[in-house]
Amino acid sequence: MPIAGLKTEGESPKHGEDGNTVEKALKALNMAASLIKKDRADAQRLGMESLVLLTDPSRAGMETAKIASRVVLLGSANDDDVGMGNNEDDVDAL
């Protein structure tokens, strides 16, 4: 089951949707980060489970999983800004 309208691995992008993959992935990552920052354990768990699903290519799609993994591990959604931390696409809490 795709997450928040993100394409699955076997699904081809519909016309005009491919450019929105990064935007949708970052929005989902920001929502997960927001949940992780809350003081309630259930919200924190939901945020962590969201991260697990966003980084699973069989659930969120290969492109979304790559973007989410790059943000979690390197701090940036862009290949050329690895570790720079000054990009507007960065998810600060992760």
Side-chain angles (χ1 to χ4, degrees):
M1 169 180 250
I3 301 169
L6 299 173
K7 67 179 180 139
T8 57
E9 186 174 9
E11 184 180 337
S12 62
K14 296 175 185 165
H15 180 67
E17 278 189 12
D18 193 34
N20 292 330
T21 304
V22 174
E23 187 176 313
K24 287 180 180 181
L26 291 173
K27 183 175 180 180
L29 285 165
N30 279 318
M31 291 184 344
S34 175
L35 287 168
I36 291 170
K37 288 192 279 186
K38 293 191 182 291
D39 60 348
R40 295 187 341 261
D42 61 330
Q44 292 172 346
R45 180 177 176 160
L46 183 59
M48 291 301 290
E49 289 175 358
S50 295
L51 282 180
V52 168
L53 293 173
L54 284 168
T55 55
D56 183 355
S58 67
R59 301 285 181 123
M62 185 59 74
E63 187 65 25
T64 301
K66 284 181 183 179
I67 293 166
S69 297
R70 193 176 300 125
V71 169
V72 170
L73 295 174
L74 305 175
S76 176
N78 295 325
D79 288 330
D80 56 348
D81 289 338
V82 174
M84 298 301 283
N86 59 359
N87 192 334
E88 62 198 56
D89 290 339
D90 294 345
V91 179
D92 294 331
L94 299 173

